């Protein structure tokens, strides 16, 4: 049985990112693997022994509540320390960093990703495409970004993708004074340890099946190439349309 944790969908479920858990479950079941989604809402303890976890996006107030709960509960941190794969989107990405801006203040994050999030000069809205920086993932990543976060990666995190379209993590306003400013404005998302995070909505795993399978493989403790390929024409058509 593959156990998928959908974390705080009541406060981090604004943009349909709950769909990422559904994609993981469906792609597992299509391979004959039993899989179930377990929802954990605000105030509920998060177990540290699930196979994979997903977090979505949310607004400022919800984001602050999510960070406070995840820090106090500690279950997701223990899961990350144990190497359990975690997939976080947009506000979920920001919450897992060391700090983020919300409600006009700087808020402490969970500290699982070496990064800080400030504010972009202008809201990033639109299609985003990047070249993946993950081992064994070689298909372009595609999604829809809608955020004001300017996320600067530290030395222990690296980008999920190298940007070819869209804004991604940061703009020139946010990275102008950094030694690695050019690299920062080409970065989309963040990877550190077992955590994969992105600004891509879509849901991201519906639009990027290879990335979904990467997370499934990590959850199952196998190599990506060991997963049986799935031929889903509708997914292939969606990718052609979005990448065009």
């Amino acid at each position: 049985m593959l156990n998928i944790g959908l974390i705080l969908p009541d406060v981090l479920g604004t943009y349909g990112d709950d769909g990422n858990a559904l994609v993981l479950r469906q792609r597992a079941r299509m391979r004959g693997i039993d899989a179930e989604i377990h929802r954990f809402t605000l105030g509920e303890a998060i177990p540290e022994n699930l196979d994979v976890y997903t977090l979505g996006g949310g607004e400022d107030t919800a984001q602050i509540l999510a960070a406070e709960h995840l820090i106090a509960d500690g279950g997701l941190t223990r899961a990350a320390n144990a190497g359990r794969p975690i997939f976080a989107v947009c506000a979920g990405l920001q919450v897992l960093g060391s700090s983020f801006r919300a409600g006009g203040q700087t808020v402490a994050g969970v500290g699982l990703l070496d990064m800080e999030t400030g504010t972009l000069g202008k809201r990033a809205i639109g299609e985003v495409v990047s070249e993946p920086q993950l081992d064994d993932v070689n298909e372009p990543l595609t999604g829809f970004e809608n955020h004001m976060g300017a996320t600067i990666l530290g030395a222990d995190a690296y980008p999920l993708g190298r940007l070819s379209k869209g804004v991604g993590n940061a703009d020139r306003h946010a990275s102008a004074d950094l030694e690695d400013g050019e690299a920062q404005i080409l970065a989309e998302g963040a990877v550190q340890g077992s955590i994969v995070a992105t600004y891509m909505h879509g849901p991201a795993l519906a639009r990027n099946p290879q990335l979904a399978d990467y997370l499934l493989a990590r959850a199952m403790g196998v190599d990506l190439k060991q997963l049986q390929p799935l031929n889903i024409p509708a997914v292939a058509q969606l990718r052609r349309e979005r990448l065009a």
Side-chain angles (χ1 to χ4, degrees):
M1 171 68 73
L2 189 75
N3 292 297
I4 302 164
L6 178 56
I7 307 305
L8 305 183
D10 51 337
V11 292
L12 295 179
T14 304
Y15 301 106
D17 299 308
D18 294 8
N20 290 314
L22 294 172
V23 170
L24 291 174
R25 184 179 68 181
Q26 183 63 15
R27 293 186 71 84
R29 289 179 174 180
M30 291 179 74
R31 294 180 166 98
I33 302 165
D34 288 338
E36 293 295 342
I37 296 172
H38 306 274
R39 294 168 54 94
F40 299 94
T41 56
L42 196 67
E44 293 183 316
I46 298 169
E48 60 195 77
N49 58 349
L50 301 181
D51 297 300
V52 59
Y53 299 76
T54 67
L55 298 86
E59 306 301 331
D60 281 11
T61 300
Q63 194 175 358
I64 295 170
L65 290 172
E68 291 174 347
H69 175 69
L70 293 174
I71 292 169
D73 175 72
L76 193 67
T77 296
R78 292 190 293 273
N81 291 339
R84 309 280 181 173
I86 297 169
F87 184 63
V89 177
C90 201
L93 170 150
Q94 296 179 13
V95 163
L96 296 188
S98 59
S99 67
F100 59 92
R101 293 285 296 176
Q105 60 182 313
T106 298
V107 181
V110 183
L112 294 176
L113 290 171
D114 182 16
M115 63 185 205
E116 298 179 349
T117 298
T119 305
L120 289 174
K122 180 181 179 182
R123 175 171 287 274
I125 304 177
E127 291 291 311
V128 58
V129 179
S130 69
E131 293 299 319
Q133 306 297 295
L134 281 174
D135 291 341
D136 299 325
V137 178
N138 50 34
E139 297 177 356
L141 300 172
T142 167
F144 186 86
E145 61 182 350
N146 181 3
H147 65 96
M148 277 292 291
T151 297
I152 301 299
L153 303 182
D156 292 334
Y158 64 92
L160 168 61
R162 182 178 175 86
L163 199 68
S164 58
K165 180 180 181 180
V167 175
N169 290 359
D171 56 10
R172 294 189 180 277
H173 170 78
S175 58
D177 297 328
L178 300 176
E179 291 183 5
D180 59 346
E182 287 299 316
Q184 294 284 355
I185 64 172
L186 291 175
E188 201 296 309
V191 178
Q192 186 173 335
S194 62
I195 301 172
V196 177
T198 181
Y199 275 111
M200 295 186 297
H201 301 290
L205 297 186
R207 293 177 60 160
N208 300 283
Q210 191 183 46
L211 180 59
D213 285 349
Y214 170 88
L215 292 163
L216 278 179
R218 291 289 300 269
M220 297 167 59
V222 302
D223 291 334
L224 178 58
K225 61 186 178 182
Q226 293 178 256
L227 291 185
Q228 171 192 348
L230 297 176
N231 181 21
I232 309 175
V235 174
Q237 180 180 350
L238 172 65
R239 282 185 58 77
R240 286 193 297 270
E241 291 175 354
R242 294 298 179 248
L243 289 169

